[in-house]
Amino acid sequence: MLEIKNLHVKLADEDKVILDGLDLVVPKGEVHAIMGPNGSGKSTLAYVLAGRAGYEVTDGDILWNGESLLEMAPDERAAAGVFLAFQYPMEIPGVAGLTFLRTATNAVRKKRGLEELTTPEFMKVVRGKAAALNIDFEMLKRPVNVGFSGGEKKRSEILQMAMLEPSLCVLDETDSGLDIDALKIVSDGVNALRSPDRSMLVITHYQRLLDYIVPDKVHVLARGRIQTTGDKDLAKELEKSGYAGFVDAA
Amino acid sequence: MDGRSVEDNMPVAVIKTKSELALSEQFQAALPSLPGGPEVATHRRAAIAAFTEFGLPHRRIEDWKYTDLRTALKDPALPSVDATAKLTVADLIVALGPFMNMDAARIVFVNGHFRAALSNVTGTDTITVTPLSASFDSLSPLSTDAITALNTAFVTDGAVIDIPDGVTLEQPLLVVSLSVGRDARLSTIRNRISVGAGASATIAELYLTLPGSTVDGQTNALTEVTISRGATLTHVKALSEGGRATHLSNWNVSLGAEANYRAFQLSSGVALARNQIGVTFTGEHAKIDVSGTFLGRGSDHIDTTLTVDHAVPHCESRELFAGVLDGHARGIFQGKIIVRPHAQKSDGKMMARALMLSPDAEFDSKPELEIYADDVVCGHGSTAAELDEDLMFYCQSRGIPAAEARALLVKSFIGEAIARVDNEAVRTALEACADAWLAQDQTNSAVT
C-alpha cells in the first residue's frame, strides 16, 4: 500500500512550492489515476516517488508498505518495488537495450535476494515479454531508445517495467505522443501487469488513456494537493468541464 | 636590452635542457649497439644532429602548446639493449588480456626487440611479416618532427608488413610491443605497413605492459602506412603501458585512389602520450575514418594531434575522438583538416568530445580547418560535458546502483566511439580494454 501523507515539496534551488500538503492512499492491487492541469505538480509527484534529485521534501512522508521511501536512493526504491515509466524515456547511446535490461533486472533481483538470471534464462524471459508487447527483438540489440519512435520508446518502458516486476507502477503521461494503435498496445501491456499484488498510479492529463487502463479511483491534483476523488466517471466529467473549476477555486 | 637588434641577426644560442643533452649523449653511447649497417648509422647520426639543433618541442611552438616535452620529458631513458629479458608465453597471455581471445596472428616485440618465440604468424602465408631488424638497410628521410628524429636515431626494431595486391588477410594481425622490466628503458619501434592494390587487412598495434613492471617505460613508435588503389586497411592501436609510462608516436599514412582507411586509437593507462597521426590522400575517391578514445585519470596527459591532408579532390574524411577525463587528467585533441586549392568536392567532418568526471580535469580541443578550395563540405565540432544527471537518474530508477550506473554511462560514451571499429573481434577486445580501465576506477574507489 502506498500512503502519501501531507507531502510538501519545493524545488531544491528555488523557493517554488510544488506540492503543498498532498495526501493520497493507493491500496494494494488498485489502479489510481491522477489527473490535473498542466503545472499542477503531477510529474513532480512521479519524480519524488522515484527519488529524482532537484526536489526538497519540506514536510510529510511517503510510505510504501509501511516503510518511508524518502531516505532511499532511486535504485533502492526500485529494489523496493517502485517503477516510474517516464513521460520522456531517455536515450542511452552506446548501451544495447539487452545489456541495459539485463543489468537492471539483475541489479534489482540481487537486492531483492533473488538469484541473478543467467544469460539463457534472461533471454527466454525477455523474448517472451518483448513478443507480448509487439517489440521486435532486433530492436533490443540497438542502443537504448536511440532512434526509436515515440510509440517504441513507450513500449520499451513497459518492457522494462515487465522485466523489473515492480509492486508499485507509476506511469507518467504514458499516453503522450502515442497514436491510437500504440496507445492500445501500451495499455494492453500495462493491463497484463495488473495484479492483486501490484498497485498502479496512472498520471495523465487526458481522459483517453483511462478508457484503456480503467482505474479504480480518479484523483484530481491541482495547486499542489488532491482536490477531489471519484470513480472512473470523474475522468469523463473532467473531459467535459475541464480543470478550470479546480484552478480557480479558492 | 640594447643588444637585441644584434642578437636578431645572430644564430640563436638555445640553452639545452638536461634531457636534451642527455639524449644526445645517450645516442653516442648507444650507437655501437644499435642495429643496421653503415647507411643506417649515417641516417641515425643525421637525425640526432637535427634533433640536437631543434631540441625537444616546447609550448612556444604552436603544435606543442599543450604538450611541452621540454618539461615533461625530464629523465629520458636509455634504449634497452637487453634482448633477453625473461618472458614466457604465459606472461604474454596476461599482457594481451582480451586480445588473447581472438583468432589472430601476432608479431611480438619486447622492449623494442623482436621475439620469435612469442610470435605466431601462422595463417599469414599470403603476406610477408618480418622484423625490421632482419633487413635493416635504410631509414626514411629526415623529418623536422622531434619524435620522428628520435625514432630514427634510436630505433631497434619493428614490423615490416607487406600485403600483396588483391590479398585479403582473413584474421587480424597483432603487432605487439611489450614494455617490461624494473628499470627505466626506451623502446623504439618502427613499423612499415604496405597494403597492395585491392588488398584488405586488419592490423592492430598493441602497446602493453605486464602487471608489476610499470616502471617508467618510454616508447617511441612510428608506423608508416601505404595503402594502394582500392585497398582497405583497418588499423587499430591499443595503448596501455602502465601508469608511469611515456608514449610518443607517429602514424604517417598515405592512401591511393578509392582506398579505404579505418583507423582507431585507444589510449589509456599512460602518464604521458603524444599520438600524432598524419593522413594524406594521394588518389581520388578515397575514404578515411580516423577515430579514437582517450581515457585519463590521476595526472595522465594524453594528446592526439591529427592532420588530414586533402591533397586531391573527391575524398572523404571522418574523425571522432571521445575522451573520458577524471582526477587531474588532461586530454588534448588537435585536429587539422587541410584542403588543397584543387581538392574540390572534399568532404571532411571532425568531432572531439570529452566527458569530464572531475572538476580538476582539463580538455583542450583545437580544431583547425585550412581550406583553399571553394567547393567542399567541411565541419568540425567539440564538446566537453559532465555525466548527464538525468541519465544517471534514469539508470538508477531502473535499480542500477550509482557506481554501476556511472560506469555504464561512461562505457556508453566510449562505446559510441569504439562502435566505429568494424572488425567485431577487435571491437570486443577494445571494449574489454575500456572496461578494464573503468574497473580500475571502481577498485580505487572501493579502497578509498
Side-chain angles (χ1 to χ4, degrees), chain B residues 162-166 193-200 225-233 253-261 280 282-287:
Chain B
D162 190 6
I163 299 154
D165 291 356
I193 300 171
S194 159
V195 188
S200 156
V225 181
T226 312
I227 307 169
S228 302
R229 173 182 280 272
T232 299
L233 177 66
V253 183
S254 140
L255 73 165
E258 292 156 32
N260 189 358
Y261 180 59
T280 305
T282 63
E284 298 186 14
H285 299 286
K287 281 184 184 179

Side-chain angles (χ1 to χ4, degrees), chain A residues 52 75 83-84 93 157 160, chain B residues 390 394 396 398-399 404 412:
Chain A
R52 182 182 175 152
D75 53 299
F83 183 92
L84 168 63
E157 288 291 284
Q160 291 175 18
Chain B
D390 290 337
Y394 189 62
Q396 282 187 270
R398 269 61 184 136
E404 217 178 313
S412 133

Side-chain angles (χ1 to χ4, degrees), chain B residues 377-399:
Chain B
V377 182
C378 276
H380 66 77
S382 183
T383 63
E386 294 171 24
L387 262 187
D388 188 321
E389 276 183 29
D390 290 337
L391 272 177
M392 276 296 287
F393 171 62
Y394 189 62
C395 293
Q396 282 187 270
S397 76
R398 269 61 184 136

Side-chain angles (χ1 to χ4, degrees), chain B residues 92-426:
Chain B
L92 179 72
I93 290 170
V94 172
L96 282 180
F99 288 95
M100 201 60 212
N101 299 332
M102 66 170 75
D103 238 351
R106 59 173 187 262
I107 177 165
V108 179
F109 302 87
V110 176
N111 295 345
H113 298 278
F114 173 59
R115 284 303 187 78
L118 299 177
S119 303
N120 179 356
V121 291
T122 41
T124 59
D125 40 344
T126 52
I127 68 168
T128 319
V129 187
T130 50
L132 178 68
S133 51
S135 55
F136 221 131
D137 45 16
S138 76
L139 289 164
S140 328
L142 274 180
S143 160
T144 52
D145 172 54
I147 301 179
T148 303
L150 288 173
N151 187 282
T152 302
F154 288 104
V155 61
T156 49
D157 218 330
V160 181
I161 301 164
D162 190 6
I163 299 154
D165 291 356
V167 167
T168 296
L169 187 63
E170 296 293 346
Q171 57 181 12
L173 172 61
L174 308 181
V175 179
V176 184
S177 170
L178 297 180
S179 178
V180 299
R182 297 193 186 284
D183 305 317
R185 69 216 157 259
L186 173 69
S187 305
T188 309
I189 291 282
R190 176 162 314 195
N191 302 309
R192 287 179 191 152
I193 300 171
S194 159
V195 188
S200 156
T202 296
I203 296 172
E205 296 181 28
L206 311 178
Y207 296 89
L208 305 169
T209 185
L210 273 174
S213 60
T214 55
V215 183
D216 291 353
Q218 296 180 7
T219 297
N220 182 324
L222 189 154
T223 302
E224 293 164 351
V225 181
T226 312
I227 307 169
S228 302
R229 173 182 280 272
T232 299
L233 177 66
T234 295
H235 189 195
V236 170
K237 168 167 154 177
L239 163 63
S240 183
E241 291 185 317
R244 294 182 62 190
T246 302
H247 183 95
L248 308 174
S249 79
N250 270 292
W251 277 7
N252 299 329
V253 183
S254 140
L255 73 165
E258 292 156 32
N260 189 358
Y261 180 59
R262 303 190 59 87
F264 192 88
Q265 295 196 340
L266 179 147
S267 302
S268 68
V270 64
L272 170 72
R274 164 87 169 191
N275 295 312
Q276 304 190 138
I277 306 168
V279 182
T280 305
F281 289 106
T282 63
E284 298 186 14
H285 299 286
K287 281 184 184 179
I288 63 165
D289 184 317
V290 178
S291 297
T293 185
F294 47 94
L295 313 174
R297 65 165 64 95
S299 55
D300 298 349
H301 179 118
I302 306 176
D303 175 334
T304 302
T305 295
L306 171 75
T307 306
V308 175
D309 190 346
H310 283 264
V312 294
H314 295 288
C315 289
E316 181 188 292
S317 60
R318 294 287 179 271
E319 295 85 28
L320 169 66
F321 278 79
V324 177
L325 301 166
D326 204 349
H328 288 81
R330 192 166 179 200
I332 291 121
F333 176 77
Q334 304 188 104
K336 186 191 282 186
I337 300 178
I338 304 167
V339 179
R340 304 279 168 187
H342 57 282
Q344 302 295 3
K345 304 286 179 192
S346 290
D347 177 352
K349 231 173 241 127
M350 183 165 66
M351 186 71 205
R353 288 191 198 130
L355 182 57
M356 314 299 286
L357 296 183
S358 142
D360 299 317
E362 182 176 329
F363 178 51
D364 302 294
S365 181
K366 192 178 75 179
E368 287 175 276
L369 300 179
E370 278 184 24
I371 300 176
Y372 303 103
D374 53 13
D375 186 11
V376 302
V377 182
C378 276
H380 66 77
S382 183
T383 63
E386 294 171 24
L387 262 187
D388 188 321
E389 276 183 29
D390 290 337
L391 272 177
M392 276 296 287
F393 171 62
Y394 189 62
C395 293
Q396 282 187 270
S397 76
R398 269 61 184 136
I400 303 170
E404 217 178 313
R406 187 175 135 116
L408 188 76
L409 293 179
V410 175
K411 200 180 145 152
S412 133
F413 179 84
I414 303 167
E416 223 186 332
I418 296 181
R420 293 167 83 117
V421 177
D422 49 9
N423 182 291
E424 193 184 345
V426 175

Side-chain angles (χ1 to χ4, degrees), chain A residues 19-234:
Chain A
L19 297 181
D20 191 17
L22 185 143
D23 288 292
L24 179 69
V25 174
V26 183
K28 190 171 165 180
E30 290 194 6
V31 175
H32 287 204
I34 301 263
M35 299 185 71
N38 290 329
S40 59
K42 300 193 299 291
S43 285
T44 297
L45 175 61
Y47 284 142
V48 170
L49 281 167
R52 182 182 175 152
Y55 300 100
E56 191 183 322
V57 174
T58 53
D59 200 2
D61 205 349
I62 303 173
L63 302 179
W64 174 235
N65 295 333
E67 206 181 340
S68 175
L69 290 178
L70 295 182
E71 294 306 314
M72 294 186 194
D75 53 299
E76 292 168 334
R77 297 182 196 208
V82 179
F83 183 92
L84 168 63
F86 280 54
Q87 182 178 2
Y88 303 108
M90 310 285 296
E91 297 182 1
I92 316 180
V95 177
L98 285 171
T99 307
F100 184 69
L101 276 174
R102 190 169 171 204
T103 307
T105 304
N106 279 338
V108 162
R109 289 183 68 90
K110 197 171 154 189
K111 280 215 196 99
R112 291 179 188 159
L114 300 169
E115 287 281 310
E116 294 187 26
L117 295 180
T118 62
T119 305
E121 286 167 349
F122 168 77
M123 292 304 265
K124 195 176 163 218
V125 176
V126 79
R127 266 180 203 282
K129 296 195 191 246
L133 283 161
N134 208 5
I135 292 175
D136 179 5
F137 193 72
E138 288 304 306
M139 211 167 89
L140 298 176
K141 295 178 180 169
R142 302 203 331 239
V144 180
N145 291 332
V146 176
F148 287 16
S149 70
E152 286 169 336
K153 282 184 183 172
K154 294 294 168 81
R155 273 185 276 156
S156 146
E157 288 291 284
I158 304 305
L159 176 62
Q160 291 175 18
M161 187 162 101
M163 288 302 296
L164 296 183
E165 301 183 327
S167 44
L168 174 63
C169 303
V170 181
L171 303 159
D172 186 11
E173 308 268 1
T174 290
D175 50 333
S176 71
L178 293 190
D179 61 27
I180 204 76
D181 294 329
L183 183 64
K184 182 128 197 346
I185 295 169
V186 167
S187 304
D188 287 348
V190 174
N191 286 327
L193 292 172
R194 287 179 87 144
S195 96
D197 298 325
R198 191 169 277 143
S199 307
M200 292 194 186
L201 200 56
V202 180
I203 293 170
T204 181
H205 186 79
Y206 300 105
Q207 180 266 338
R208 188 179 70 155
L209 178 67
L210 305 180
D211 285 341
Y212 297 93
I213 305 173
V214 180
D216 296 301
K217 275 193 179 146
V218 175
H219 308 274
V220 177
L221 172 60
R223 292 179 293 120
R225 62 177 81 174
I226 301 296
Q227 301 292 342
T228 188
T229 295
D231 61 12
K232 61 182 168 26
D233 295 332
L234 175 59

